[in-house]
Amino acid sequence: MPFFEVEQKHDDFMQQSRIWVFFGAALLSLVAGYVNVVMLSFFAVPVSHMSGAVSHLGIVLSDVDFKDLLLITSIVTGFFSGALVSGIILRDTLFRMRRRYGAILLIEGALLFVTMLLALKGLNAAIPIAATACGLQNAMASSYRGLTLRTTHVTGIVTDLGALLGNRLQGREVKSWKFGLLLSVLIAFFVGGLGGALFLSLFGMWALGAASGVCLISGVTVIFIAMATDVAGT
């Protein structure tokens, strides 16, 4: 399909579903930033992005540290498994308000609840489960009608924002919704991280209950909206 046709489809899609995309992407990014800071502060390892994990994997291999090797491998495997499950459930890349998205959010909420219970006991098994929840979410968000959205990390977001601004400064046309969407995701991730740090200091690992609750409530809401609008697509 010619590039300009793809762009036109994206523009039409955003006009029709902009509120859901903006709100959904920001909410998911908020949750991911929150979960990552809570887990990073408590276990000293990130779970929402794999760049650091893969780099650390190389370090522990060179040091022959089998304990850390098992931990880091479990994080990468968990994230991959979550993305795999998300792809199986969604089946395609066309975003519509469907019950499948609600189902994924319910699974994510359940995984975060289990993570909280394990973390309260100080068990490292909480780490790969949290990574699985993040992988599940990240793959779900990236399936929005070809829009490249990664809500569990912001490296690509910052890169795209810089590229879009550079294009604008060069006088090239840049769709304003693209810049607004990416900026909202970036801000939400930061706010989520700030909230995670504050809640962790107040409630300890019970703080993960808030993220779990948001996912569960969002999942039920999406399912009801999909049923009401009769576009569940199941």
Side-chain angles (χ1 to χ4, degrees):
M1 180 180 292
F3 178 76
F4 71 89
E5 291 186 19
V6 175
E7 285 288 293
Q8 184 60 49
K9 284 182 178 293
H10 287 176
D11 292 343
D12 293 341
F13 165 70
M14 289 303 298
Q15 289 293 337
Q16 298 168 6
S17 306
R18 181 171 297 173
I19 186 172
W20 293 116
V21 175
F22 272 69
F23 178 77
L27 181 63
L28 291 174
S29 185
L30 182 80
V31 169
Y34 182 98
V35 171
N36 192 54
V37 165
V38 170
M39 296 298 291
L40 184 60
S41 299
F42 192 81
F43 289 103
V45 290
V47 295
S48 71
H49 55 278
M50 293 297 100
S51 299
V54 173
S55 296
H56 194 187
L57 186 60
I59 295 173
V60 298
L61 279 173
S62 66
D63 292 338
V64 197
D65 188 336
F66 292 107
K67 183 179 179 181
D68 279 353
L69 175 62
L70 180 62
L71 177 62
I72 301 302
T73 301
S74 71
I75 294 174
V76 177
T77 302
F79 195 94
F80 173 82
S81 299
L84 177 65
V85 171
S86 185
I88 292 172
I89 294 175
L90 290 179
R91 304 179 189 175
D92 58 47
T93 59
L94 178 62
F95 171 72
R96 290 176 293 175
M97 187 56 67
R98 298 177 296 174
R99 279 175 279 184
R100 294 174 190 166
Y101 286 95
I104 291 177
L105 286 168
L106 291 177
I107 295 172
E108 181 180 357
L111 288 172
L112 291 175
F113 184 77
V114 173
T115 299
M116 180 188 71
L117 295 179
L118 293 173
L120 287 170
K121 296 181 179 180
L123 299 177
N124 283 344
I127 299 172
I129 295 178
T132 302
C134 289
L136 188 77
Q137 176 185 304
N138 203 42
M140 175 182 68
S142 66
S143 65
Y144 286 168
R145 186 74 180 269
L147 296 173
T148 304
L149 285 177
R150 306 295 187 187
T151 60
T152 64
H153 56 88
V154 295
T155 302
I157 300 296
V158 174
T159 301
D160 290 343
L161 281 171
L164 288 174
L165 182 58
N167 287 334
R168 177 67 65 86
L169 292 175
Q170 284 294 318
R172 300 187 182 93
E173 182 181 1
V174 175
K175 301 296 182 182
S176 59
W177 65 261
K178 292 183 178 180
F179 195 89
L181 177 58
L182 294 173
L183 186 61
S184 67
V185 170
L186 176 62
I187 293 173
F189 191 89
F190 169 77
V191 173
L194 178 61
L198 292 174
F199 272 62
L200 180 65
S201 65
L202 293 173
F203 307 109
M205 290 307 287
W206 287 103
L208 281 178
S212 174
V214 168
C215 290
L216 293 173
I217 293 172
S218 298
V220 172
T221 302
V222 168
I223 290 174
F224 274 109
I225 292 175
M227 293 173 64
T229 54
D230 196 30
V231 290
T234 57

